[in-house]
Amino acid sequence: MKKVIVITGASSGMGKETAKKLIGEGHIVYTLARRVEQMEDLKNLGGHPIKMDISNEEEVTKAVQTIIEKEGRIDVLWNNAGFGLYGSVEDVPLEEARKQMEVNVFGLALMTQKVVPFMRKQKSGLIINTSSVGGKVYFPMGAWYHASKHAVEGLSDCLRLELKPFGINVVILEPGFIATEFGSVLLNNFEKISKDSAYSEMMNAIISNTKKTEAEGSNSQPTVIADAVSKIIKTKNPKTRYSVGKMAKPLIFLRNLVGDKMYDKMVTSQLK
């Protein structure tokens, strides 16, 4: 069945690959992102790109209104926009930390607030919120990113209960290590931090591990996320969570299995 699908953060990586798959499956797909020029290929495939900053309420409102005016409904909202901010709590300026929360948490909430009234009216809908394996586990230098994804987990659980009476499903997507721009963003963040940082040794170990992983090409391809999202959309009664991609399920299983101190030791052992 053809559905009207809205994807935020669709200019690259998981969002773009999934948009391609869903367009190919015959759905009406609206792709929203700041870098609209990077979605020209999606337009050529039959998609509907819209330039939108997830942290700008006026732009979000306008985008949703445009879709409703053209289609009359929104069947699926995939809140996928987000980025990773890395650096120690001591080093990262709070202005940057607020931006992390503004995009990863409040942007997701804003988009949801604008779409839900239409889903309630049609008494149906599916909202997929992109969390991360980082919403269940943690690593040093990622405090603000992990905080944002832990927040998405909690927000989504509450939202699921609130919207269930209206026939709206809420699903949490927890990607593992996916071959996207994430690694380069992490490295760029570290470059902004002074080389005299008290945490430079730890940062260098993380930089080395990140570069090694990217060089080996051992991360899962974004297509695994595209397949998962397609499956979720087709499922009448989807699960509440989908852990997808390299190390997603093993890391979450491990975190649930061992206590805090044991997990801390296992993580720090990888930074030597």
Side-chain angles (χ1 to χ4, degrees):
M1 180 180 174
K2 181 185 293 187
K3 296 181 182 294
V4 177
I5 301 172
V6 178
I7 303 175
T8 66
S11 61
S12 64
M14 301 186 303
K16 173 172 278 195
E17 286 303 317
T18 303
K20 290 178 181 178
K21 183 175 181 64
L22 296 177
I23 293 169
E25 291 176 349
H27 297 292
I28 301 170
V29 183
Y30 283 82
T31 55
L32 284 52
R34 290 181 298 108
R35 300 178 294 183
V36 69
E37 69 280 357
Q38 292 193 19
M39 298 187 288
E40 192 66 27
D41 54 342
L42 298 178
K43 182 178 180 180
N44 293 335
L45 291 173
H48 305 275
I50 297 178
K51 180 179 174 60
M52 188 198 77
D53 182 344
I54 195 70
S55 62
N56 185 311
E57 184 169 4
E58 183 178 346
E59 291 187 12
V60 171
T61 301
K62 183 178 179 181
V64 173
Q65 287 177 341
T66 297
I67 297 167
I68 291 297
E69 287 173 2
K70 290 184 177 180
E71 308 298 341
R73 63 187 294 113
I74 293 175
D75 299 303
V76 180
L77 167 62
W78 180 19
N79 283 311
N80 177 60
F83 71 99
L85 175 64
Y86 267 69
S88 72
V89 173
E90 181 179 350
D91 287 329
V92 173
L94 287 183
E95 181 181 354
E96 293 297 314
R98 290 189 181 97
K99 182 179 178 182
Q100 172 83 114
M101 293 298 181
E102 188 66 39
V103 173
N104 288 13
V105 182
F106 295 114
L108 177 151
L110 175 61
M111 193 72 198
T112 300
Q113 286 183 336
K114 299 301 180 181
V115 169
V116 161
F118 299 103
M119 288 187 170
R120 281 195 296 101
K121 186 177 180 180
Q122 66 199 35
K123 295 183 173 59
S124 67
L126 168 65
I127 297 174
I128 304 172
N129 289 335
T130 298
S131 175
S132 165
V133 64
K136 291 290 186 63
V137 303
Y138 53 88
F139 301 101
M141 302 290 116
W144 293 111
Y145 174 71
H146 289 290
S148 73
K149 292 305 184 180
H150 276 70
V152 168
E153 294 272 344
L155 183 152
S156 300
D157 283 332
C158 295
L159 184 67
R160 183 176 65 253
L161 297 179
E162 294 170 2
L163 297 184
K164 185 177 181 179
F166 301 101
I168 303 170
N169 288 318
V170 177
V171 171
I172 304 170
L173 183 63
E174 299 169 332
F177 299 146
I178 310 295
T180 65
E181 297 176 342
F182 192 91
S184 60
V185 171
L186 181 155
L187 297 177
N188 288 337
N189 285 336
F190 278 174
E191 288 180 358
K192 298 176 183 177
I193 298 174
S194 171
K195 300 302 181 183
D196 297 327
S197 169
Y199 309 90
S200 58
E201 184 175 342
M202 189 177 291
M203 286 193 295
N204 288 335
I206 294 174
I207 289 172
S208 177
N209 288 340
T210 300
K211 288 182 176 179
K212 181 180 179 180
T213 300
E214 290 190 333
E216 293 174 347
S218 58
N219 292 337
S220 296
Q221 292 302 308
T223 50
V224 302
I225 300 297
D227 292 340
V229 172
S230 175
K231 177 182 177 181
I232 294 168
I233 292 172
K234 294 174 183 175
T235 303
K236 185 176 181 180
N237 186 28
K239 297 186 295 184
T240 57
R241 282 173 168 79
Y242 288 79
S243 303
V244 184
K246 185 176 177 61
M247 294 304 293
K249 291 180 179 179
L251 278 173
I252 292 174
F253 175 79
L254 180 65
R255 182 65 191 97
N256 291 331
L257 183 65
V258 303
D260 294 342
K261 290 187 176 181
M262 178 59 71
Y263 180 80
D264 290 355
K265 288 181 179 179
M266 296 174 73
V267 170
T268 53
S269 70
Q270 301 300 310
L271 300 177
K272 297 177 180 179

